[in-house]
Amino acid sequence: MTEPRLFGEPYETPDGTTVIPVHRPVGVFAVRDGRAQWAPAVDATRVALLGVGVGLVAATFAGIAMVLRPPWPDLRRRR
């Protein structure tokens, strides 16, 4: 078999749910009582940390821009 497997080996939980891991996109199909439900594998902590990191970088660049060239007029007297 030369193609990569998209589905893992199904297994059954103690409550009777059959779980089928999926590799692309990452997640699982849970089959219970004849109905399948998709559950994506998302790491909410990683998503939140990425958002905080982007916010910190944006705030840092905004602070540097304010120090280098403030948006208010220059009120110093020129000779």
Side-chain angles (χ1 to χ4, degrees):
M1 193 158 114
T2 60
E3 295 182 20
R5 291 186 60 178
L6 296 179
F7 296 97
E9 289 295 322
Y11 61 92
E12 191 168 334
T13 62
D15 66 349
T17 303
T18 302
V19 178
I20 305 169
V22 182
H23 300 291
R24 284 197 188 125
V26 179
V28 296
F29 277 111
V31 181
R32 183 174 188 163
D33 298 330
R35 299 186 69 201
Q37 183 178 9
W38 169 254
V42 177
D43 186 4
T45 303
R46 183 176 288 180
V47 172
L49 287 176
L50 179 64
V52 169
V54 168
L56 287 174
V57 169
T60 302
F61 283 148
I64 291 171
M66 292 284 286
V67 168
L68 295 178
R69 182 160 178 114
W72 51 86
D74 187 11
L75 300 178
R76 292 180 287 179
R77 284 188 94 186
R78 296 183 186 202
R79 293 183 193 197

